[in-house]
Amino acid sequence: MSKGMQAYWNNQTAYEKSTLNEPDLLIDELLDKAKLEALPLEEKSTLKHIVDNDLRSSVPPQLFSAMSGILKLMETVEESEGPTSE
Amino acid sequence: MKINAFFNMNKLNQPSEGTQKNQTALPAGKIAGMASKESVETTKESIKNSETQSSSTLEKAYELYKNNGIDPNAKIMAETKKFLDKVSGNDKDKLFTIEMTASKGIDPTEKNLTAIHSALNDEAVSTETIETLMPETKMVQDVVKAIRKVEGHLRGTQSVARKELQSTFESMGLSKEEAIAACDVVEKGLAQNQSTSEILNHLSKQFPKEPLKGMLEIASKLSDGFKELKVVIKELLPNTKELSLAFAAETDETLIFALEDLIENSSIYHNKSADTHKKNENDLSKGSIISEAKGSVKVTSSEYSVVEAVNDDNEDVDETDLESIDDFMSEGIDPFLESLEAMVAQVLHQTIANYGAHDLENYFSTENTKAYLVKEVTLKMIEVKQTFDQFQSSALKGIETVLSKNETMKINGEELSQLVAGTAQKLDHMIMKTDLTLYTDMKSEKKLVGLSSDLQQIQTLALKDTGKALHLLKEVHKKIEALVFQPSKEKVNVYMTQKAEEVIGHNTVTTAIERTKATGGAKMLMELIRHMGLNHEPELLEKMLSSSKHDATLSNEKENLKSMLLKLESEAESDPKTVKSLEKALSNLTGQQLLNKQEPGKDAQTLFFSMPMGDTGQEVKLYIKSRNKLGGLDWENCTAFVMIDSDRFGPTGIRLNIADRYLNMSVISESDTLETVMKPLTQQLLADLKDIGYLPNEVKFLKTSPQEEGPRVLKSSTEQPLVLDKSLEEAELRGKGFELKI
């Protein structure tokens, strides 16, 4: 179980823990809820690999900032004056 | 040259040394031993009969599973075979997909394998692709727009409308007679003050043939411009009788009236201090929309006070809450809010120009539309200001507690490190998970990210030199104290424009993606990822778990590209061609999500994104490999590779090697001129990277010739024979493009 899921898990109330003692059940609950609301979701075999990876928590802002800086640099390079590649 | 040809991670396709040793042909008996006879026979027969793949590919796949600790049972092999048969491309690429899937511990189902293969090999899902996939999107917008026009016509503000609506219906597959009848439904609905959404629902019932029905249902959803406002209000004012009345409102106008009633009737409004009330009366007497909005916000933003007041009319209101809101209104963002009306006018003008919707000018110029935008932005600004204030106050308090504790009783390094970790976590949460950084400028965002790096440095330093760590902590305290929340006009404009587009039914996920790309920064990248739906499921789970007894409604979740595609896929069953195209786009997005699966038990973590960027939608692929830090990525020790299909300079790769924050950058391109243009511009990037905590070292420009076959020779700009240094060992150029070894 990853950090994100662990944090969620730890936050569950005793009641919830007694009824949901496996992350698998949590995914089932999500699937059931989505079905009730007619909200299409991935199949469980796919969902279980992606539901527990909140990129807002697992990727530090420094890394996104650096990547964004590179993209910005390339954009500036594209728009700047100067010779174009032959 | 397409980026996917250039960014060809073929090195990964080569089995590792250990794998090669085991690369003997898989005996049939071996397969037989792992599964039921029937399925094995099926697999064997399939391999034998297959015209599209060699049996050795399946055997290699079998070995790859084994080498990655996966039991290649009959079910897995059958799924793998389906994948090998289904997808196009060479066996090397397919095996690479299998290896990636296996190494990340992902179930090797045909669907997962296909998704990962698509993410690695297909073009990014661009906004253009989406529009091509869904011509309905434009038609849906046309219907909404045409209905708005009829609405304007009925109100006497527009002249020609019905004819256009009729023509739109005909273009959607209705006969002339049907189109006339549909126009009647619209006019009747408008005359009865039905909302656009209601009218569309009537139409979909009256003309239940596809694809019109599906389009009308989508249009009905798109037209609900007040959906988000309802969500915000619900968050601010949970569980009140008045709120439920507001929610019963079906149209934009009735919602506004219901809200106004709610605000005016709530006891808090009447219990305000005489001065505050007088001030508001003065403001309102000027007829200012801003004042009106602020008046409303003063109440609605004082969350718990309102709830208490509404729930128990006899209770006294805590004036402190009102004062605190008045305080920040006068301190920080008041001048900003004062300029909102002008900004709104500018945004509306620009939106009309962008869409050539001059005929909508009257609709736009209504006071309701302006008031709506002003209210939306004011509410949002107050919300993010509160987020900022909460962080600032709690971070300062936390640091002060640590410092004061240290004065009375020296704290040890480990304790200090742990105490600071909490503050660092809160800061990262604020940057990445709240809306604050969506509305601050780049400079402010950099300051916050830089502070996050300082706090992490303190955590490490505390274990080595507590004195130095405490000194740095005092510096950080000063920096946090000096922070001031300043909304960025540019970013608020983006938000307002989105809202304005919603009003005319033009706001789609694709326009949201386009607008987000224009802003920049860490949060921009995260938002882009969210708009694409690459964080869709974790956010659904979060929503479900954040509510007590899991009673939250998932469908309130903000629309993103993936959720939209999933909905369309489930609704488009009758059109196999559309379903196939949707599946392809969905597969690409899901593949990226699977590749981004984090594995707490492994030493290395990886990320992979493939997305369109820039005005012309050039494709960008981001690949990051990092040391595992608490189950996530380590920004201080990682390798990042960005591949861009540049219009001017051709395929270009930028590689960052980061070790203990020291950063080396290499730019690799076929272009002769890229270095001349880019070199002076890299200084700003390096300065920015330094601001956020990196220690930039050097930038290298490497050139490769596109004509050469086989391993390419990298040449430095000085034409000296280049010995591949450590940082480039993994970035070899071979064949069509870079090979990136994991």
Side-chain angles (χ1 to χ4, degrees):
Chain A
M1 199 166 20
S2 81
K3 206 170 54 171
M5 181 79 90
Q6 188 68 55
Y8 293 141
W9 202 243
N10 293 342
N11 284 334
Q12 296 311 301
T13 62
Y15 165 77
E16 286 161 339
K17 274 184 180 172
S18 68
T19 54
L20 294 168
N21 52 11
E22 293 287 340
D24 226 26
L25 293 176
L26 206 55
I27 294 165
D28 286 339
E29 190 188 342
L30 183 65
L31 281 165
D32 289 346
K33 205 164 174 48
K35 200 175 172 184
L36 272 176
E37 293 182 27
L39 193 73
L41 267 187
E42 296 279 2
E43 289 165 11
K44 192 175 176 183
S45 60
T46 303
L47 189 63
K48 69 180 186 183
H49 296 293
I50 58 180
V51 78
D52 185 22
N53 182 31
D54 190 338
L55 294 167
R56 295 171 300 171
S57 307
S58 61
V59 184
Q62 288 85 352
L63 218 41
F64 273 141
S65 200
M67 293 301 104
S68 163
I70 289 176
L71 297 174
K72 188 81 192 159
L73 170 70
M74 276 312 293
E75 199 182 302
T76 316
V77 166
E78 288 276 309
E79 289 164 4
S80 65
E81 288 182 3
T84 299
S85 194
E86 290 302 319
Chain B
M1 186 190 289
K2 286 288 170 195
I3 196 84
N4 55 328
F6 193 67
F7 183 74
N8 198 357
M9 298 190 290
N10 287 338
K11 193 80 182 175
L12 288 160
N13 297 340
Q14 303 289 349
S16 63
E17 209 174 305
T19 315
Q20 278 173 328
K21 281 176 190 169
N22 298 323
Q23 206 64 45
T24 50
L26 188 69
K30 210 168 182 178
I31 298 177
M34 71 193 181
S36 71
K37 195 177 173 185
E38 192 184 344
S39 57
V40 169
E41 285 308 318
T42 311
T43 309
K44 278 162 66 184
E45 195 61 27
S46 308
I47 293 170
K48 209 167 126 186
N49 296 335
S50 174
E51 289 176 8
T52 54
Q53 77 195 62
S54 66
S55 59
S56 68
T57 310
L58 203 53
E59 287 160 3
K60 282 176 187 166
Y62 176 88
E63 287 300 329
L64 285 172
Y65 288 134
K66 276 187 72 181
N67 291 337
N68 283 285
I70 292 178
D71 172 23
N73 59 36
K75 195 181 169 194
I76 286 179
M77 294 313 292
E79 289 283 316
T80 306
K81 184 172 181 328
K82 272 194 237 166
F83 157 72
L84 290 170
D85 287 345
K86 183 183 165 186
V87 303
S88 56
N90 61 47
D91 287 350
K92 251 178 143 185
D93 288 343
K94 292 177 188 175
L95 283 171
F96 173 56
T97 297
I98 292 169
E99 186 170 19
M100 285 294 275
T101 309
S103 70
K104 291 189 86 73
I106 295 165
D107 291 355
T109 60
E110 181 213 341
K111 189 172 181 281
N112 289 348
L113 288 165
T114 307
I116 291 175
H117 194 74
S118 169
L120 289 169
N121 297 285
D122 295 345
E123 282 182 28
V125 182
S126 67
T127 47
E128 275 178 10
T129 318
I130 298 304
E131 273 155 22
T132 316
L133 282 177
M134 298 184 294
E136 300 98 314
T137 305
K138 196 183 169 303
M139 295 177 82
V140 161
Q141 288 169 355
D142 287 346
V143 174
V144 175
K145 194 174 153 186
I147 290 175
R148 298 272 194 217
K149 281 184 186 175
V150 175
E151 193 176 355
H153 172 65
L154 288 177
R155 286 176 179 169
T157 54
Q158 287 167 43
S159 53
V160 185
R162 186 177 161 124
K163 210 170 181 180
E164 192 176 326
L165 184 65
Q166 186 185 323
S167 140
T168 308
F169 282 131
E170 283 177 34
S171 70
M172 292 172 81
L174 294 188
S175 68
K176 194 179 173 186
E177 291 70 31
E178 285 173 328
I180 290 170
C183 286
D184 289 341
V185 172
V186 173
E187 286 199 346
K188 194 179 164 194
L190 290 169
Q192 291 172 354
N193 284 328
Q194 290 173 1
S195 69
T196 313
S197 174
E198 281 176 312
I199 294 167
L200 288 164
N201 276 330
H202 285 309
L203 284 171
S204 73
K205 279 173 195 155
Q206 199 154 335
F207 302 99
K209 66 179 180 184
E210 295 290 355
L212 180 69
K213 184 173 180 282
M215 284 184 225
L216 290 170
E217 279 167 6
I218 297 160
S220 153
K221 287 166 198 164
L222 282 176
S223 69
D224 193 0
F226 274 63
K227 194 174 166 189
E228 275 186 40
L229 179 61
K230 285 184 181 179
V231 174
V232 171
I233 296 160
K234 196 173 180 186
E235 280 168 7
L236 290 171
L237 300 167
N239 308 323
T240 65
K241 274 182 282 179
E242 284 78 356
L243 182 67
S244 62
L245 284 175
F247 271 75
E250 289 293 338
T251 66
D252 302 353
E253 280 156 8
T254 48
L255 177 63
I256 286 180
F257 292 142
L259 285 172
E260 280 169 358
D261 281 348
L262 170 63
I263 290 157
E264 280 176 22
N265 294 331
S266 69
S267 55
I268 193 166
Y269 187 86
H270 300 296
N271 284 342
K272 274 192 250 182
S273 68
D275 288 347
T276 315
H277 208 142
K278 198 176 173 187
K279 184 178 177 290
N280 277 349
E281 277 172 358
N282 287 338
D283 285 344
L284 287 166
S285 67
K286 290 175 197 164
S288 159
I289 296 169
I290 287 283
S291 309
E292 195 185 328
K294 276 166 62 181
S296 315
V297 164
K298 277 174 207 293
V299 180
T300 54
S301 63
S302 183
E303 184 180 343
Y304 49 92
S305 304
V306 175
V307 176
E308 281 171 7
V310 172
N311 288 340
D312 186 350
D313 289 347
N314 297 323
E315 291 243 344
D316 287 337
V317 176
D318 185 356
E319 289 293 333
T320 326
D321 297 319
L322 289 172
E323 282 162 18
S324 67
I325 292 169
D326 279 340
D327 281 350
F328 94 72
M329 293 288 267
S330 58
E331 276 172 12
I333 59 172
D334 213 21
F336 177 83
L337 294 177
E338 291 296 347
S339 64
L340 264 185
E341 265 187 281
M343 284 172 71
V344 165
Q346 199 189 346
V347 164
L348 291 179
H349 179 76
Q350 192 56 47
T351 310
I352 289 166
N354 285 349
Y355 291 99
H358 298 287
D359 47 345
L360 288 174
E361 209 150 350
N362 287 329
Y363 187 82
F364 259 156
S365 64
T366 61
E367 289 303 292
N368 272 347
T369 310
K370 276 188 184 173
Y372 164 64
L373 289 178
V374 170
K375 266 185 191 176
E376 280 285 284
V377 178
T378 309
L379 279 170
K380 187 51 90 177
M381 288 307 106
I382 286 172
E383 183 195 323
V384 294
K385 175 76 167 67
Q386 282 174 337
T387 305
F388 172 79
D389 286 348
Q390 277 164 11
F391 162 76
Q392 192 176 40
S393 127
S394 106
L396 289 175
K397 202 174 163 189
I399 294 173
E400 281 156 16
T401 309
V402 174
L403 293 174
S404 110
K405 192 176 177 186
N406 185 59
E407 273 173 23
T408 51
M409 176 183 63
K410 292 280 173 204
I411 54 175
N412 64 41
E414 204 170 317
E415 196 180 353
L416 175 60
S417 182
Q418 277 173 9
L419 287 167
V420 173
T423 309
Q425 216 169 16
K426 274 182 201 161
L427 179 56
D428 283 358
H429 175 92
M430 185 177 75
I431 298 169
M432 299 307 290
K433 282 195 149 185
T434 72
D435 282 347
L436 179 87
T437 36
L438 271 184
Y439 305 104
T440 50
D441 57 17
M442 287 284 287
K443 207 174 156 188
S444 304
E445 188 191 276
K446 269 191 296 177
K447 270 187 195 170
L448 294 171
V449 178
L451 275 170
S452 158
S453 305
D454 287 347
L455 287 166
Q456 287 178 44
Q457 194 185 349
I458 294 169
Q459 288 174 61
T460 316
L461 198 59
L463 304 172
K464 298 172 190 166
D465 188 335
T466 315
K468 267 190 188 172
L470 283 164
H471 177 74
L472 189 54
L473 190 61
K474 283 176 191 165
E475 294 296 311
V476 169
H477 183 274
K478 278 184 202 164
K479 285 185 193 173
I480 294 177
E481 207 169 26
L483 286 174
V484 178
F485 171 66
Q486 285 289 347
S488 150
K489 277 194 175 183
E490 191 194 355
K491 291 193 177 179
V492 173
N493 255 329
V494 170
Y495 177 76
M496 268 201 283
T497 307
Q498 281 172 359
K499 292 285 161 199
E501 285 169 344
E502 275 175 15
V503 173
I504 58 164
H506 266 288
N507 186 280
T508 62
V509 175
T510 51
T511 54
I513 289 174
E514 290 304 319
R515 300 228 173 274
T516 311
K517 283 194 300 194
T519 53
K523 184 69 175 176
M524 172 281 290
L525 200 48
M526 188 63 237
E527 281 307 293
L528 184 57
I529 285 165
R530 294 180 71 204
H531 280 313
M532 292 185 73
L534 299 175
N535 211 40
H536 175 58
E537 290 80 1
E539 289 185 34
L540 283 183
L541 180 69
E542 184 183 60
K543 184 156 196 185
M544 186 180 89
L545 293 171
S546 64
S547 170
S548 62
K549 295 182 185 174
H550 301 182
D551 61 357
T553 308
L554 297 176
S555 50
N556 277 345
E557 193 252 353
K558 209 172 178 177
E559 191 97 77
N560 58 59
L561 189 53
K562 187 172 180 188
S563 64
M564 198 173 79
L565 289 174
L566 281 165
K567 270 184 209 163
L568 286 170
E569 188 193 32
S570 66
E571 288 163 0
E573 278 170 12
S574 58
D575 183 359
K577 202 176 163 188
T578 311
V579 172
K580 201 176 172 188
S581 307
L582 289 170
E583 273 176 0
K584 201 177 164 193
L586 266 172
S587 190
N588 189 293
L589 296 173
T590 308
Q592 291 183 57
Q593 291 181 286
L594 289 167
L595 285 167
N596 290 333
K597 182 187 176 190
Q598 303 303 306
E599 298 153 285
K602 292 207 169 175
D603 292 339
Q605 304 292 335
T606 56
L607 275 186
F608 177 78
F609 296 111
S610 169
M611 55 181 70
M613 294 294 288
D615 292 340
T616 53
Q618 299 107 310
E619 192 172 28
V620 172
K621 285 186 192 286
L622 299 177
Y623 180 79
I624 300 170
K625 185 188 177 192
S626 134
R627 203 177 66 172
N628 181 345
K629 190 178 181 184
L630 303 170
L633 284 96
D634 182 2
W635 64 275
E636 295 167 300
N637 296 283
C638 61
T639 302
F641 203 66
V642 182
M643 293 294 303
I644 299 167
D645 202 3
S646 162
D647 286 345
R648 270 180 77 183
F649 303 100
T652 303
I654 299 178
R655 184 185 178 84
L656 300 182
N657 277 298
I658 303 157
D660 292 332
R661 294 194 183 197
Y662 284 96
L663 180 148
N664 288 309
M665 180 168 136
S666 312
V667 181
I668 311 164
S669 166
E670 295 169 352
S671 166
D672 294 323
T673 52
L674 178 65
E675 183 177 355
T676 318
V677 178
M678 190 192 263
K679 205 167 187 175
L681 299 170
T682 53
Q683 295 312 308
Q684 183 58 51
L685 172 67
L686 297 183
D688 289 346
L689 290 170
K690 199 175 173 187
D691 285 345
I692 59 167
Y694 286 108
L695 301 166
N697 203 5
E698 61 177 334
V699 180
K700 279 182 187 173
F701 285 87
L702 305 164
K703 190 177 167 296
T704 180
S705 159
Q707 282 82 29
E708 292 171 33
E709 286 299 327
R712 295 185 190 183
V713 179
L714 286 175
K715 288 178 180 172
S716 71
S717 54
T718 51
E719 291 299 320
Q720 296 292 318
L722 183 75
V723 178
L724 289 181
D725 64 6
K726 271 280 177 197
S727 68
L728 285 164
E729 268 181 1
E730 293 168 13
E732 298 169 30
L733 295 166
R734 187 179 295 181
K736 285 181 180 174
F738 292 105
E739 290 181 355
L740 186 64
K741 186 168 73 181
I742 293 185

